[in-house]
């Protein structure tokens, strides 16, 4: 997270529970954290991600916001600077709250930054761990994904594209944001229409506006 020249070394490994202690407890804990609707990530003072739950990974993979999910590189430089300063303050045991913007300077994610008591021993000495609690700032009219899943059986991906349509944003921007082709997005929308019993996007938007 330190500058434009920094390279991305890939996504953090978040799926494997600890192998020591109670395996059952570790698995239950990981399952519970991944069920949260809040993105939870643990980073060091350099912004390197040591752990992220499922929601955090979903947010970190938003290509309109983050240039690199493993080291928290953002497109919006003021947001990156604010996050860097908040993480540094948390390393000194000071909590904070910030908002991150996307590449078009639109508010996208709220983040609570707070220190963790544990420190990890490394070759360079003890390294502070910092907790990030992240929530997406949904535009007006967005519908919780869990509602769409319960009402229509939509997958998380289908729920995301549905909310994008409902809030009036063009699908071309969605394709860019998610890093997929327009053909893929159109295929997802076709599936959404079939599951909701609609024939056109305008019908879908009108129906969901009443929820």
């Amino acid at each position: 997270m330190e500058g434009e020249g920094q390279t991305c070394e890939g996504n953090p490994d978040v799926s494997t529970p600890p192998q020591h202690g109670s395996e059952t407890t570790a698995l239950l804990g990981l399952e519970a954290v991944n069920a949260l609707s809040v993105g939870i990530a643990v980073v060091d003072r350099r912004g390197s991600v040591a752990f992220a739950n499922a929601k955090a990974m979903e947010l970190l993979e938003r290509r309109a916001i983050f240039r690199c999910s493993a080291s928290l590189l953002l497109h919006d430089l003021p947001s990156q600077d604010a996050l860097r300063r908040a993480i540094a303050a948390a390393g000194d045991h000071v909590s904070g709250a910030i908002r991150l913007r996307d590449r078009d300077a639109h508010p996208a994610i709220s983040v609570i930054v707070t220190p963790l008591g544990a420190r990890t021993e490394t070759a360079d000495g003890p390294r502070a761990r910092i907790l990030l609690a992240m929530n997406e700032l949904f535009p007006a009219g967005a519908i919780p994904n869990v509602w769409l899943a319960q009402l229509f059986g939509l997958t998380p991906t289908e729920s995301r594209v549905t909310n994008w349509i409902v809030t009036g944003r063009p699908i071309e921007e969605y394709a860019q944001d998610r890093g997929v082709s327009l053909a893929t997005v159109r295929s997802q929308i076709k599936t959404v229409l079939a599951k909701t019993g609609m024939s056109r996007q305008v019908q879908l938007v009108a129906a969901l506006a009443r929820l």
Side-chain angles (χ1 to χ4, degrees):
M1 197 184 67
E2 296 177 354
E4 290 288 339
Q6 187 172 343
T7 59
C8 181
E9 297 179 355
N11 291 329
D13 181 9
V14 301
S15 59
T16 305
Q19 297 302 308
H20 55 80
S22 171
E23 183 176 354
T24 300
T25 300
L27 287 170
L28 287 173
L30 182 62
E31 183 177 354
V33 171
N34 279 329
L36 295 174
S37 59
V38 176
I40 299 295
V42 178
V43 304
D44 62 21
R45 293 189 67 155
R46 296 180 298 182
S48 296
V49 179
F51 172 82
N53 71 347
K55 182 61 179 180
M57 283 303 303
E58 176 190 325
L59 296 175
L60 292 173
E61 289 171 358
R62 295 285 297 274
R63 291 296 173 254
I65 305 170
F66 293 95
R67 293 189 290 118
C68 179
S69 60
S71 50
L72 300 184
L73 298 177
L74 293 108
H75 290 286
D76 183 70
L77 295 182
S79 293
Q80 181 168 319
D81 184 58
L83 181 58
R84 178 189 60 77
R85 287 186 281 106
I87 288 175
D92 293 326
H93 308 288
V94 178
S95 298
I98 59 174
R99 290 200 301 177
L100 304 180
R101 302 184 303 182
D102 63 19
R103 60 160 62 97
D104 297 318
H106 298 140
I109 298 174
S110 65
V111 186
I112 303 297
V113 185
T114 189
L116 289 178
R119 288 176 174 263
T120 301
E121 292 295 333
T122 70
D124 299 323
R127 181 176 297 177
R129 291 300 189 186
I130 294 137
L131 177 71
L132 308 182
M134 302 181 286
N135 278 295
E136 186 170 6
L137 299 173
F138 288 105
I143 302 165
N145 287 351
V146 65
W147 292 10
L148 295 173
Q150 292 170 346
L151 289 170
F152 305 110
L154 301 188
T155 66
T157 297
E158 292 162 356
S159 295
R160 284 194 294 270
V161 72
T162 299
N163 257 320
W164 195 279
I165 294 170
V166 168
T167 51
R169 291 173 287 180
I171 62 172
E172 291 80 6
E173 289 184 9
Y174 180 83
Q176 183 181 45
D177 180 65
R178 303 304 301 181
V180 298
S181 69
L182 269 177
T184 296
V185 177
R186 291 192 176 103
S187 176
Q188 292 168 352
I189 294 172
K190 183 177 180 180
T191 301
V192 168
L193 292 175
K195 286 186 176 182
T196 57
M198 308 292 171
S199 59
R200 294 183 299 162
Q201 289 185 37
V202 65
Q203 286 180 306
L204 177 66
V205 172
L208 295 181
R210 295 192 291 269
L211 291 181

